[in-house]
Amino acid sequence: MFRGNLHLRCTRCPLAASVFLGASLVVFLFGNSLKADVREIYGLPFHVEEILPLENKSVRVRLFGELRIIAQQNSDRYIVESYLRAGDFFQRFDSEDVKEFLFSAAADKRFEIVAPVLEMLLREEAYPFAEKRSILLTLSRMPESGPTLKALLSERLERRLHEIGLLLSALVGRDDLDWLRTHESSRIFQAKDEFLRVVELLLQDELAGEKSTDSLEGYLKMLSEFFGGEDPEVAKLELLVEKTLKLVQLSPSEDRSQLYPYLKTTHNSPNGHILRPLVVRKIHDFADFAIQHHEPASALILLAELYPKERSQRTQELLIQAFSRLQPPQEEIRRNNAVRRLAMTESRNNPLVERSYISYLRRAFDEEVESRSIRTAALIREHLREVSAQSQGEYEQMIFEEALIWSGRDRPDVARQLLALRSHQPTPMEFFQLLVAGYFGSPLRMLLFALIPLLLLSLSVVRRREQKLKKKSAQEEDFSLHDTVEEESYASHEVDPVAFRNLRGGGNSLLLEYQKLLKEFDLSWQASLQEIKRVYRRKIKEVHPDSRERESRDLESDESSDAFILLSKKYDRILELREQLDLK
């Protein structure tokens, strides 16, 4: 349908068809040149209507309707200056992007691009003086930036931007005092107060950044050259630099007292806006050093000196490390309310801080309970309840542990008050622990009362057991004796009827004793009286003292006398037993 209509219109109007074909040919041949392009220069995108490289190291650039042929190395500068002349450079680009553009170009030593943009930026009212000062201070630290800053100190810029001119003078004079003395002396003397204020601002920026002391010495030398070291304002600035440098050069150590002279410095103190940020950094450095050297308590005391607005992520990280390594008991920490407020505040801001702090409090509670510091344990328990969403079961278990300690101190009244705070009665195991701890009285007395019935029962059982064992042993001996006598009697066929009858009749103990005595005489219990006498006479001669030689009798008289007496007694007992047993 479209092709048909186009063919119909072209056949009806030959002139229109010619124009259409010519335009199509131009677009086909030169479309790449006519299409708009984007040229990125140090991070800023510049829209260019046409940019076409030529053979003689030049480029053809069409920008804002103007066509120019320029050298290739000057193309970036031409594009930037064209945008500056358009008047909306700082409206097109973000301020942060413009600063990055300036710093990147300066680092690449493209100051022919930096100079026009910097001059327009210094004239731009949308940028505050503090931001302009920061940009100039950063650029002044870059190599080969001096000629650009000196070029900006023109009469035209000075008339419109007097304060910026003094700022440029201070930056140039810091590094090239001779040039400043030659070109800008009159202006500096005419605006002494303003110049001193600008230098003070620069000093504050340098000190806050903890940069090299060479820049600080350059500023002080410049002021002494122009106004003399005895000038009150110059002396004031020198004192500020000296005090700040002393703080900057303070190395972290275990002696935190080195920081004490600076801890009272606040933002409202003289030069506090300079010193306080340095103090905050030093507090973090000293705290980190203390933690690494196993002094977490010292680190916590230092971190407690920070105001809430001064605490940062680094503060929270140090708190986590300190509470994780802190070993209770720590009396210095427990009595420090500032540390407690710090821990509670940061626990609400960071769950990891809360977790480490609660872990420390639990360790501290267990330590105090173990050391029987019951009042301190109660304070820690309530504080732990305040800090964390503690479970009821854990809270009641801590109360029970305290009640056990009070019971052991003979204070069951306090233990009862603590147990009343619990939502349930003691379990059987807890009841037993309270009993042992002395909740119901002295544990030793209760233990004795419980053991007395047990001891009596044990003694009764033992006594009955001994009686049974004795009875059983006697029966076994009797049976053994009966068997022995019967076997010997039947084997010899010469049994004494009376002795056998006595044996059967119950004279077992006497026969047993009689048998043992005859065994010592190497005789059986059936031996006759003549055999017993014969053996006795033979043995008595062996032990009689008069039957031995004189020498041996003198040496063994006591021993022979004892054997003689013992043998006589045994013989008499044998005769006595024979009569009792009615043996012939």
Side-chain angles (χ1 to χ4, degrees):
M1 183 67 182
F2 177 78
R3 290 181 180 179
N5 291 340
L6 181 61
H7 177 71
L8 181 61
R9 291 175 183 175
C10 290
T11 54
R12 291 180 179 179
C13 184
L15 180 60
S18 302
V19 173
F20 177 79
L21 292 174
S24 301
L25 182 61
V26 170
V27 171
F28 177 78
L29 294 176
F30 303 101
N32 293 336
S33 299
L34 294 177
K35 188 183 349 183
D37 195 7
V38 176
R39 181 68 174 270
E40 184 172 321
I41 304 175
Y42 292 109
L44 290 184
F46 293 90
H47 293 272
V48 183
E49 298 171 8
E50 177 187 0
I51 180 167
L52 183 64
L54 301 177
E55 294 181 355
N56 54 352
K57 294 185 179 180
S58 59
V59 293
R60 184 173 65 185
V61 180
R62 186 185 298 275
L63 190 61
F64 299 116
E66 182 180 356
L67 181 64
R68 295 284 297 273
I69 298 176
I70 57 178
Q72 188 174 359
Q73 65 269 20
N74 297 329
S75 60
D76 290 346
R77 179 179 178 182
Y78 170 73
I79 294 172
V80 171
E81 289 178 346
S82 299
Y83 266 77
L84 290 172
R85 285 194 298 270
D88 59 349
F89 183 89
F90 297 101
Q91 286 73 34
R92 288 176 180 265
F93 304 113
D94 183 71
S95 60
E96 293 297 326
D97 294 336
V98 172
K99 287 194 290 186
E100 289 298 324
F101 166 83
L102 288 173
F103 298 152
S104 299
D108 207 18
K109 299 181 181 180
R110 297 290 300 277
F111 289 102
E112 73 278 5
I113 300 178
V114 172
V117 177
L118 182 59
E119 182 178 351
M120 291 296 294
L121 184 145
L122 295 177
R123 297 176 186 276
E124 184 65 34
E125 296 181 357
Y127 285 78
F129 177 75
E131 190 169 1
K132 294 176 182 179
R133 185 177 74 246
S134 176
I135 293 173
L136 286 174
L137 187 60
T138 303
L139 290 174
S140 68
R141 298 192 185 107
M142 295 186 176
E144 303 182 14
S145 61
T148 302
L149 298 180
K150 293 173 183 177
L152 290 174
L153 280 172
S154 61
E155 192 67 28
R156 184 162 50 96
L157 182 63
E158 175 67 18
R159 284 197 302 268
R160 294 193 60 185
L161 301 171
H162 177 66
E163 194 173 24
I164 293 296
L166 293 176
L167 177 62
L168 287 169
S169 299
L171 291 173
V172 171
R174 180 195 65 188
D175 301 324
D176 195 346
L177 184 57
D178 294 336
W179 187 94
L180 184 66
R181 189 187 302 111
T182 303
H183 296 83
E184 301 293 329
S185 296
S186 58
R187 294 176 184 173
I188 292 174
F189 282 114
Q190 291 173 4
K192 174 186 175 182
D193 295 338
E194 294 175 325
F195 184 72
L196 287 173
R197 189 176 68 85
V198 168
V199 174
E200 182 179 359
L201 293 174
L202 289 173
L203 285 173
Q204 292 174 4
D205 293 340
E206 295 278 4
L207 292 171
E210 295 189 33
K211 300 299 179 181
S212 172
T213 58
D214 296 340
S215 300
L216 301 174
E217 294 175 356
Y219 289 122
L220 296 178
K221 183 178 179 181
M222 177 181 62
L223 294 177
S224 299
E225 178 71 20
F226 280 96
F227 309 114
E230 298 178 357
D231 186 275
E233 294 297 326
V234 176
K236 177 182 175 182
L237 293 177
E238 289 180 348
L239 182 61
L240 170 63
V241 171
E242 180 182 357
K243 186 175 182 180
T244 307
L245 285 179
K246 188 176 180 180
L247 176 59
V248 169
Q249 296 170 358
L250 189 62
S251 299
S253 66
E254 296 181 3
D255 184 13
R256 64 175 186 267
S257 62
Q258 301 179 52
L259 271 179
Y260 287 165
Y262 302 96
L263 293 179
K264 296 182 179 180
T265 303
T266 64
H267 288 280
N268 298 326
S269 305
N271 302 313
H273 59 291
I274 301 174
L275 293 175
R276 188 61 192 180
L278 295 176
V279 172
V280 171
R281 280 198 289 271
K282 289 300 177 181
I283 287 176
H284 286 98
D285 293 342
F286 270 73
D288 191 7
F289 183 90
I291 292 173
Q292 300 304 324
H293 289 76
H294 310 290
E295 291 291 339
S298 179
L300 290 172
I301 292 173
L302 283 174
L303 293 174
E305 298 291 339
L306 296 173
Y307 296 106
K309 294 182 179 180
E310 297 173 341
R311 298 166 190 166
S312 60
Q313 183 178 358
R314 189 184 182 192
T315 308
Q316 296 176 351
E317 293 174 353
L318 292 174
L319 282 174
I320 294 171
Q321 297 179 30
F323 281 123
S324 299
R325 302 185 183 186
L326 189 62
Q327 296 297 327
Q330 290 288 343
E331 193 69 19
E332 191 177 16
I333 297 298
R334 188 179 65 82
R335 296 181 179 275
N336 195 313
N337 293 327
V339 173
R340 177 178 296 184
R341 289 192 298 269
L342 169 68
M344 293 185 64
T345 302
E346 296 306 318
S347 294
R348 290 190 288 266
N349 298 333
N350 191 324
L352 296 179
V353 175
E354 180 184 15
R355 189 182 306 170
S356 61
Y357 185 46
I358 291 174
S359 176
Y360 163 72
L361 289 178
R362 287 172 177 164
R363 295 197 308 272
F365 177 83
D366 294 340
E367 183 69 25
E368 298 298 340
V369 168
E370 186 176 351
S371 62
R372 303 294 177 177
S373 301
I374 189 63
R375 299 187 186 277
T376 305
L379 293 175
I380 295 175
R381 166 179 42 89
E382 293 302 322
H383 182 51
L384 184 59
R385 180 82 163 177
E386 181 182 3
V387 173
S388 66
Q390 192 180 24
S391 64
Q392 185 68 20
E394 183 181 359
Y395 179 71
E396 293 184 357
Q397 179 61 30
M398 298 173 77
I399 291 177
F400 179 74
E401 292 178 7
E402 295 177 39
L404 288 178
I405 298 177
W406 282 113
S407 300
R409 294 185 176 182
D410 294 332
R411 293 294 305 274
D413 53 336
V414 181
R416 278 191 291 272
Q417 294 176 5
L418 287 171
L419 293 175
L421 300 175
R422 297 175 18 128
S423 59
H424 61 85
Q425 295 297 324
T427 63
M429 179 58 68
E430 291 175 343
F431 183 84
F432 178 74
Q433 290 177 328
L434 290 171
L435 176 65
V436 174
Y439 180 75
F440 302 100
S442 173
L444 181 59
R445 184 170 64 252
M446 296 298 297
L447 184 61
L448 289 176
F449 286 157
L451 288 179
I452 287 174
L454 184 61
L455 290 174
L456 293 176
L457 180 62
S458 300
L459 290 174
S460 176
V461 171
V462 170
R463 184 172 300 173
R464 289 182 181 180
R465 185 179 180 85
E466 289 180 351
Q467 291 176 354
K468 288 182 179 181
L469 291 175
K470 287 182 179 180
K471 186 175 181 181
K472 184 177 180 180
S473 177
Q475 291 177 352
E476 290 178 353
E477 290 180 357
D478 290 344
F479 291 145
S480 175
L481 181 60
H482 293 168
D483 294 341
T484 303
V485 170
E486 291 179 358
E487 290 177 359
E488 292 179 357
S489 301
Y490 287 115
S492 61
H493 299 287
E494 296 179 359
V495 180
D496 187 347
V498 179
F500 190 74
R501 186 170 57 251
N502 288 336
L503 179 61
R504 291 295 189 183
N508 302 342
S509 59
L510 297 177
L511 281 174
L512 182 62
E513 183 182 0
Y514 181 72
Q515 184 183 19
K516 289 182 179 179
L517 291 173
L518 288 180
K519 283 184 178 180
E520 295 182 9
F521 280 77
D522 299 326
L523 295 173
S524 70
W525 71 277
Q526 299 173 352
S528 62
L529 181 60
Q530 289 76 12
E531 292 176 341
I532 295 173
K533 288 181 178 180
R534 185 173 58 255
V535 173
Y536 168 70
R537 291 190 190 98
R538 177 172 50 81
K539 287 185 173 292
I540 203 69
K541 291 179 180 180
E542 295 176 357
V543 297
H544 197 283
D546 295 336
S547 66
R548 298 172 176 268
E549 297 179 356
R550 179 68 60 183
E551 295 81 10
S552 60
R553 187 172 61 245
D554 293 341
L555 294 175
E556 301 177 1
S557 59
D558 295 337
E559 183 179 352
S560 300
S561 299
D562 294 339
F564 177 79
I565 296 172
L566 181 60
L567 185 61
S568 300
K569 288 182 178 181
K570 288 181 180 181
Y571 177 72
D572 294 339
R573 179 60 180 166
I574 290 173
L575 297 180
E576 182 180 355
L577 288 173
R578 286 184 66 84
E579 291 180 2
Q580 293 178 1
L581 293 172
D582 195 17
L583 296 175
K584 295 181 180 180

